[in-house]
């Protein structure tokens, strides 16, 4: 359980994959991304996470060129127009370097800097980094995930990645950890991780958690992706009560309200 500390921050997801903005035309897409970003800021986001590579189970890989073309113009435009810290959801060193040059505050890597050159790219910068746990690769990770002890295994993996970071010259004060809900995990694994989220505090680093609209919500409620918000708010609230520092979501406005209730409860202002 957490103590009353800084309020939990909400990270808004800004997808810039082609399917998220239907018709082509780069200027049109940039304007749409900016409008969506402005809305997320107005809704109370503390970070925007920009993703150009679909990490969904079974998704095709995206080339470096394609990913750069999708995300860099968006980062540059948002950096010009908005003051909010930006995060880039990528695993590629080249995209990391270009995103840092374009002004991101955080690298959010579902592969925890295991790709060639990624550790060095972050070490050469001053940005924050989120190290996420994933078993396997997006294309096949949901086929038959196996753990000895999911919490222990995730913790051991994250510790190894923290050590790889510090060994490469990335200070601990720049690192966030994420158990990677839905990334090579069964429903049981996901709920055991949520139930025992506090165990990850033993690594003594802030936690980032992403559960928004994921199948672990659909499997319990029977709801389709578009109807998972109430379940997502319950999961975000539980993660916050267990001491998560940043919650990564699609529905920022509603999640910020939920986090205000958590903060009011923990601060005891009205008791
Ligand atoms: C389709 C299915 C598209 C799932 C995208 C996804 C996380 C992340 C993602 C997370 C961190 C999503 C995922 N999930 N980064 N990127 N933590 N740090 O649901 O849980 O957004 S992609």
């Amino acid at each position: 359980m957490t103590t009353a500390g800084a309020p939990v921050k909400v990270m808004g997801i800004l997808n810039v994959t082609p399917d998220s903005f239907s018709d082509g035309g780069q200027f049109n897409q940039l304007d749409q991304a900016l409008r969506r970003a402005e809305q997320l800021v107005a809704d109370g986001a503390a970070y925007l996470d920009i993703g150009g590579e679909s990490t969904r189970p079974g998704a095709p890989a995206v080339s470096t060129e394609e990913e750069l073309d999708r995300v860099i113009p968006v980062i540059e435009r948002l950096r010009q127009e908005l003051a909010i810290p930006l995060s880039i959801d990528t695993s590629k060193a080249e995209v990391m370097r270009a995103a840092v040059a374009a002004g991101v505050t955080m690298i959010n890597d579902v592969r925890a800097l295991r790709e060639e050159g990624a550790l060095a790219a972050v070490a050469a910068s001053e940005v924050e980094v989120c190290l996420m746990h994933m078993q396997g690769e997006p294309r096949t990770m949901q086929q038959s995930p196996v753990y000895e002890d999911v919490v222990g295994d995730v913790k051991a993996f994250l510790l190894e990645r923290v050590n790889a970071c510090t060994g490469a010259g990335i200070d601990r004060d720049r690192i966030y950890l994420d158990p990677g809900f839905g990334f090579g995990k069964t429903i049981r694994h996901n709920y055991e991780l949520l139930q025992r989220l506090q165990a990850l505090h033993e690594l003594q680093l802030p936690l980032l958690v992403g559960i928004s609209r994921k199948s672990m919500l659909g499997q319990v409620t029977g709801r389709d992706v578009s109807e998972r918000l109430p379940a997502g708010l319950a999961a975000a609230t539980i993660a916050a009560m267990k001491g998560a520092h940043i919650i990564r979501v699609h529905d920022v406005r509603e999640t910020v309200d939920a986090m205000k209730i958590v903060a009011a409860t923990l601060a005891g202002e009205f008791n």
Side-chain angles (χ1 to χ4, degrees), residues 13 49 54-57 89 108 110 130 132 178 180-181 183 208-212 214 248 250:
I13 300 170
D49 187 40
S54 188
T55 38
R56 125 183 114 260
D89 191 341
N108 171 29
V110 301
C130 178
M132 199 196 78
D178 184 337
F181 287 101
F183 285 85
L208 189 155
V209 163
I211 307 181
S212 186
K214 286 186 177 173
R248 178 183 177 278
H250 302 83

Coordinates of all heavy atoms in Angstrom, one line a residue, residues 13 49 54-57 89 108 110 130 132 178 180-181 183 208-212 214 248 250, ligand 1:
I13 N -2.2 8.3 -24.0 CA -1.7 7.6 -25.2 C -2.1 8.3 -26.5 O -3.3 8.6 -26.7 CB -2.3 6.2 -25.3 CG1 -1.9 5.3 -24.0 CG2 -1.9 5.4 -26.6 CD1 -2.7 4.0 -23.9
D49 N 2.2 9.9 -24.4 CA 3.1 8.8 -25.0 C 2.8 8.6 -26.4 O 1.6 8.3 -26.8 CB 2.8 7.5 -24.2 CG 3.7 6.4 -24.6 OD1 4.9 6.7 -24.8 OD2 3.3 5.3 -24.6
S54 N 3.0 -0.5 -33.8 CA 2.0 -1.3 -33.1 C 2.6 -2.5 -32.4 O 3.2 -3.3 -33.1 CB 0.9 -1.7 -34.0 OG -0.2 -2.2 -33.3
T55 N 2.4 -2.5 -31.1 CA 3.0 -3.6 -30.3 C 1.9 -4.7 -30.0 O 2.2 -5.6 -29.2 CB 3.6 -3.1 -29.0 OG1 2.8 -2.1 -28.5 CG2 5.0 -2.6 -29.2
R56 N 0.8 -4.5 -30.6 CA -0.3 -5.5 -30.3 C 0.1 -6.9 -30.8 O 0.8 -7.1 -31.7 CB -1.6 -5.0 -31.1 CG -2.3 -5.9 -32.0 CD -3.4 -5.2 -32.7 NE -3.2 -5.1 -34.2 CZ -2.8 -4.0 -34.8 NH1 -2.5 -2.9 -34.1 NH2 -2.6 -4.0 -36.0
P57 N -0.4 -7.9 -30.0 CA -0.1 -9.3 -30.3 C -0.4 -9.6 -31.8 O -1.5 -9.3 -32.3 CB -1.0 -10.1 -29.4 CG -1.3 -9.2 -28.3 CD -1.3 -7.8 -28.8
D89 N 7.1 5.8 -27.5 CA 7.0 4.4 -27.3 C 7.7 3.7 -28.5 O 7.2 3.6 -29.6 CB 5.5 4.0 -27.4 CG 5.2 2.6 -26.9 OD1 6.1 1.7 -27.0 OD2 4.0 2.3 -26.6
N108 N 9.9 5.3 -23.8 CA 9.1 4.2 -23.2 C 9.3 3.0 -24.1 O 8.9 2.9 -25.2 CB 7.6 4.6 -23.2 CG 6.7 3.5 -22.9 OD1 7.1 2.5 -22.2 ND2 5.5 3.5 -23.4
V110 N 9.0 -1.0 -24.6 CA 8.4 -2.3 -24.3 C 9.5 -3.5 -24.3 O 9.3 -4.5 -23.8 CB 7.2 -2.7 -25.1 CG1 6.1 -1.7 -25.0 CG2 7.6 -3.0 -26.6
C130 N 11.5 4.3 -19.5 CA 10.6 3.3 -18.8 C 11.0 1.9 -19.4 O 10.9 1.7 -20.6 CB 9.1 3.6 -19.1 SG 8.0 2.3 -18.4
M132 N 10.1 -1.9 -19.6 CA 8.9 -2.7 -19.5 C 9.3 -4.2 -19.6 O 10.1 -4.5 -20.4 CB 7.8 -2.4 -20.5 CG 6.4 -2.9 -20.2 SD 5.3 -2.9 -21.5 CE 5.9 -4.3 -22.4
D178 N 8.0 -1.1 -15.4 CA 6.6 -1.4 -15.8 C 6.5 -2.9 -15.9 O 7.3 -3.5 -16.7 CB 6.3 -0.7 -17.1 CG 4.9 -0.9 -17.6 OD1 4.3 -1.9 -17.2 OD2 4.5 -0.1 -18.5
G180 N 4.4 -4.6 -17.5 CA 4.0 -5.0 -18.9 C 2.8 -5.9 -18.9 O 2.8 -7.0 -19.5
F181 N 1.7 -5.3 -18.4 CA 0.4 -6.1 -18.5 C 0.0 -6.4 -19.9 O 0.1 -5.6 -20.8 CB -0.7 -5.2 -17.8 CG -0.6 -5.1 -16.3 CD1 -0.1 -4.0 -15.7 CD2 -1.0 -6.2 -15.5 CE1 0.1 -3.9 -14.3 CE2 -0.8 -6.2 -14.1 CZ -0.3 -5.0 -13.5
F183 N 1.7 -8.4 -21.9 CA 2.8 -8.7 -22.8 C 3.4 -10.0 -22.4 O 4.4 -10.1 -21.7 CB 3.9 -7.6 -22.7 CG 3.5 -6.3 -23.5 CD1 2.7 -5.4 -22.8 CD2 3.9 -6.1 -24.8 CE1 2.3 -4.2 -23.5 CE2 3.5 -5.0 -25.5 CZ 2.7 -4.0 -24.8
L208 N 5.4 2.5 -13.6 CA 4.4 3.0 -14.6 C 3.6 1.7 -15.0 O 4.1 0.6 -15.1 CB 5.2 3.5 -15.9 CG 4.5 4.2 -17.0 CD1 5.4 5.1 -17.7 CD2 3.8 3.3 -18.0
V209 N 2.3 1.9 -15.1 CA 1.4 0.8 -15.4 C 0.4 1.1 -16.5 O -0.1 2.2 -16.6 CB 0.6 0.5 -14.1 CG1 -0.6 -0.4 -14.3 CG2 1.5 -0.1 -13.0
G210 N 0.3 0.2 -17.4 CA -0.7 0.3 -18.5 C -1.6 -0.8 -18.6 O -1.2 -2.0 -18.9
I211 N -2.9 -0.5 -18.3 CA -3.9 -1.6 -18.4 C -5.1 -1.2 -19.3 O -5.9 -2.0 -19.7 CB -4.4 -1.9 -16.9 CG1 -3.3 -2.3 -16.0 CG2 -5.4 -3.1 -17.0 CD1 -3.7 -2.6 -14.6
S212 N -5.1 0.1 -19.6 CA -6.2 0.7 -20.4 C -6.7 -0.2 -21.6 O -5.9 -0.5 -22.5 CB -5.7 2.0 -20.9 OG -6.7 2.7 -21.6
K214 N -7.2 -3.2 -22.1 CA -6.5 -4.4 -22.4 C -7.4 -5.6 -22.2 O -8.4 -5.6 -21.5 CB -5.2 -4.6 -21.6 CG -4.1 -3.7 -22.2 CD -2.8 -3.9 -21.5 CE -1.8 -2.9 -22.2 NZ -0.5 -2.9 -21.6
R248 N -0.8 4.8 -17.6 CA -0.8 5.0 -19.0 C -2.2 4.6 -19.6 O -2.5 3.4 -19.5 CB 0.3 4.3 -19.7 CG 0.4 4.4 -21.2 CD 1.5 3.5 -21.7 NE 1.6 3.5 -23.2 CZ 0.8 2.8 -24.0 NH1 -0.1 1.9 -23.4 NH2 0.9 2.8 -25.3
H250 N -5.8 5.5 -22.4 CA -6.5 6.2 -23.5 C -7.4 7.3 -23.0 O -7.5 8.4 -23.6 CB -7.3 5.2 -24.3 CG -6.5 4.1 -24.9 ND1 -6.2 3.0 -24.2 CD2 -5.9 3.9 -26.1 CE1 -5.5 2.2 -24.9 NE2 -5.3 2.7 -26.1
Ligands
LIG1 C1 -2.8 -2.9 -29.4 C2 -2.8 -3.7 -28.3 C3 -2.1 -1.8 -29.5 C4 -2.0 -3.3 -27.2 C5 -1.3 -1.4 -28.4 C6 -1.3 -2.1 -27.3 C7 2.2 -0.6 -22.8 C8 3.1 0.2 -23.4 C9 1.7 -0.6 -24.9 C10 2.3 -0.8 -21.4 C11 4.2 0.7 -21.5 C12 -1.5 -0.7 -25.4 C13 -0.6 -1.7 -26.0 N1 1.3 -1.1 -23.7 N2 4.1 0.8 -22.8 N3 2.8 0.2 -24.7 N4 3.3 -0.1 -20.8 N5 5.2 1.2 -20.8 O1 -2.6 -1.3 -24.8 O2 1.5 -1.5 -20.7 O3 -1.4 0.5 -25.4 S1 1.0 -0.9 -26.4

